[in-house]
């Protein structure tokens, strides 16, 4: 039984996510009408997931729904915004009820957990492509930015890194191990937990922030480029999960943590005098925070090995140091 476009919208996307008083008009009108509080700044981000490219085609629809919102929530977390409203442009090869029900359930659960209302979108037939735009609110002038790090600032990350990259290797049969470990790594790939509470807690404390979607080295690199600085990273400080260590081994785990994508953790910098306050605030938040290094005036990234030595860049790590 083929669903019409209007039946799809009605069954799966009307009144999806949180109920919010600031939604004047949502799904069903020509435009969503949203009430922005006086003194607030609007944070806007959009991400597109293409089936077979950004997620394996066999991914559970519920996980695809979760992830399509999670990646944008991670962007809002990076600027410290409070999530508010989402719009969803959905292109699907055929109106598969079971897929739609799973997708909407995954998206809806994460949206409710973060107070996000789905207020509009577009539904078309085509290749499986999901575009979600997310809007968040901030007190004006308080957004965290990529720029702003200064030499001497400490560098922190949330959660553990490299798990999603290992999860993808598990899905693609490139990595094996204990069943429970493999399942946990796949969960980290399929259901990232965006660090929204941490982002909010960093307002007024962090000098710069970015979310880690392309690997710590690449994303820290963006933060350093924006600041015109470099960094010293301590390999021993990079947080690695036990399942990742067990499945991949110490060396490969570190490589994944530095270079693999899809973690959706945060990387941020804090001046030394605010370190104690920062660590107190993060202590009770999901994912916590971990000191991984410091900002240097000298550009490029110097990696201090686990044994305290500074190895020369090698193999795929040749973007460690600038001009070397
Ligand atoms: P229009 O022709 O004005 O673009 P549509 O027929 O495309 O309107 O959509 C009808 C209503 O349903 C609009 O309010 C639109 O925002 C909403 N909508 C369409 N697709 C989705 C979707 N995938 N998720 C949420 N809302 C949607
Ligand atoms: Mg339309």
């Amino acid at each position: 039984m083929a669903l019409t476009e209007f039946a799809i919208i009605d069954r799966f996307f009307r009144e999806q996510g949180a109920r919010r008083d600031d939604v004047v008009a949502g799904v069903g009108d020509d435009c969503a009408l949203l009430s922005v509080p006086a003194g607030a700044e609007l944070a806007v981000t959009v991400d597109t997931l293409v089936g077979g490219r950004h997620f394996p085609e066999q991914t559970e629809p519920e996980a695809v729904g979760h992830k399509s919102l999670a990646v944008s929530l991670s962007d809002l977390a990076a600027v410290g915004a409070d999530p508010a409203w989402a719009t969803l442009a959905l292109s699907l090869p055929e109106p598969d009820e079971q897929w739609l029900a799973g997708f909407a359930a995954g998206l809806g659960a994460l949206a409710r957990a973060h107070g996000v209302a789905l207020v509009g979108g577009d539904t078309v037939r085509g290749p499986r492509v999901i575009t979600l735009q997310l809007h968040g609110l901030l007190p004006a002038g308080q957004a965290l930015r990529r720029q702003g790090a200064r030499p001497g600032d400490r560098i922190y990350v949330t959660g553990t890194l490299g798990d999603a990259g290992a999860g993808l290797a598990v899905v693609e049969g490139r990595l094996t191990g204990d069943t429970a470990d493999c399942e946990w790594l796949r969960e980290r790939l399929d259901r990232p937990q965006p660090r929204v509470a941490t982002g909010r807690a960093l307002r007024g404390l962090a000098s710069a922030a970015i979310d880690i979607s392309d690997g710590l080295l690449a994303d820290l690199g963006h933060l350093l480029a924006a600041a015109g600085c470099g960094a010293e990273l301590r390999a021993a400080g990079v947080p690695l999960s036990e399942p990742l260590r067990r499945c991949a081994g110490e060396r490969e785990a570190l490589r994944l943590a530095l270079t693999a994508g899809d973690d959706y953790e945060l990387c941020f910098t804090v001046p030394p005098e605010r370190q104690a306050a920062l660590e107190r605030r993060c202590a009770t938040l999901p994912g916590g925070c971990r000191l991984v290094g410091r900002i240097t005036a000298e550009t490029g990234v110097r990696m201090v090995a686990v044994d305290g030595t500074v190895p020369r860049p090698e193999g795929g790590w040749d973007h460690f140091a600038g001009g070397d």
Side-chain angles (χ1 to χ4, degrees):
M1 177 190 57
L3 283 169
T4 66
E5 177 189 335
F6 298 106
I8 290 173
I9 297 166
D10 225 45
R11 273 190 55 187
F12 301 110
F13 301 116
R14 190 179 293 278
E15 312 215 336
Q16 187 58 271
R19 286 191 160 280
R20 296 179 61 101
D21 293 340
D22 51 15
V23 178
V24 179
V27 171
D29 234 299
D30 287 311
C31 288
L33 300 173
L34 308 165
S35 172
V36 181
E41 235 161 53
L42 196 56
V44 181
T45 180
V46 64
D47 278 289
T48 296
L49 298 184
V50 177
R53 188 182 169 100
H54 298 107
F55 58 90
E57 285 284 10
Q58 73 268 29
T59 307
E60 288 169 33
E62 190 269 342
V64 178
H66 175 102
K67 197 159 181 176
S68 62
L69 177 59
V71 299
S72 292
L73 282 169
S74 182
D75 285 328
L76 287 194
V79 300
D82 292 309
W85 314 297
T87 56
L88 171 70
L90 199 54
S91 166
L92 295 175
E94 76 283 336
D96 176 340
E97 269 193 69
Q98 224 182 327
W99 192 92
L100 277 161
F103 175 85
L107 175 64
L110 189 64
R112 285 190 298 278
H114 288 278
V116 171
L118 182 63
V119 296
D122 202 20
T123 306
V124 300
R125 189 185 290 262
R128 197 180 304 280
V129 179
I130 301 134
T131 301
L132 189 134
Q133 177 152 319
L134 186 61
H135 308 75
L137 295 167
L138 274 158
Q142 286 201 30
L144 307 170
R145 309 285 304 269
R146 291 182 177 188
Q147 67 199 44
R150 296 281 170 272
D153 286 0
R154 305 306 195 247
I155 305 169
Y156 285 83
V157 299
T158 59
T160 54
L161 305 182
D163 301 325
L168 182 62
V170 167
V171 172
E172 293 179 351
R174 292 181 281 114
L175 186 68
T176 54
D178 176 79
T179 311
D181 284 346
C182 288
E183 193 44 47
W184 188 87
L185 292 169
R186 274 190 64 158
E187 274 293 298
R188 293 279 289 158
L189 172 70
D190 284 347
R191 291 180 186 76
Q193 299 299 325
R195 304 304 183 187
V196 176
T198 307
R200 193 182 297 130
L202 293 179
R203 286 187 209 156
L205 284 181
S207 48
I210 191 166
D211 76 320
I212 309 174
S213 52
D214 296 325
L216 176 60
L217 282 182
D219 290 310
L220 174 63
H222 297 313
L223 197 147
L224 297 176
C229 296
E232 188 175 275
L233 274 187
R234 289 181 316 107
V238 176
L240 305 173
S241 69
E242 287 305 319
L244 177 63
R245 286 174 196 269
R246 281 194 293 267
C247 287
E250 201 73 21
R251 195 180 161 75
E252 173 65 2
L254 181 61
R255 192 190 67 80
L256 286 166
L258 294 175
T259 60
D262 266 3
D263 280 325
Y264 302 107
E265 297 292 346
L266 295 181
C267 173
F268 54 91
T269 59
V270 186
E273 64 273 17
R274 293 190 215 140
Q275 250 184 300
L278 175 276
E279 290 189 6
R280 260 197 314 277
R281 271 199 210 174
C282 286
T284 55
L285 297 176
C289 70
R290 210 37 195 275
L291 179 66
V292 295
R294 63 184 179 87
I295 300 291
T296 58
E298 189 192 344
T299 57
V301 177
R302 268 178 11 126
M303 192 77 197
V304 180
V306 175
D307 62 8
T309 61
V310 181
R312 283 188 57 78
E314 51 168 284
W317 298 6
D318 55 1
H319 46 324
F320 272 15
D324 204 323

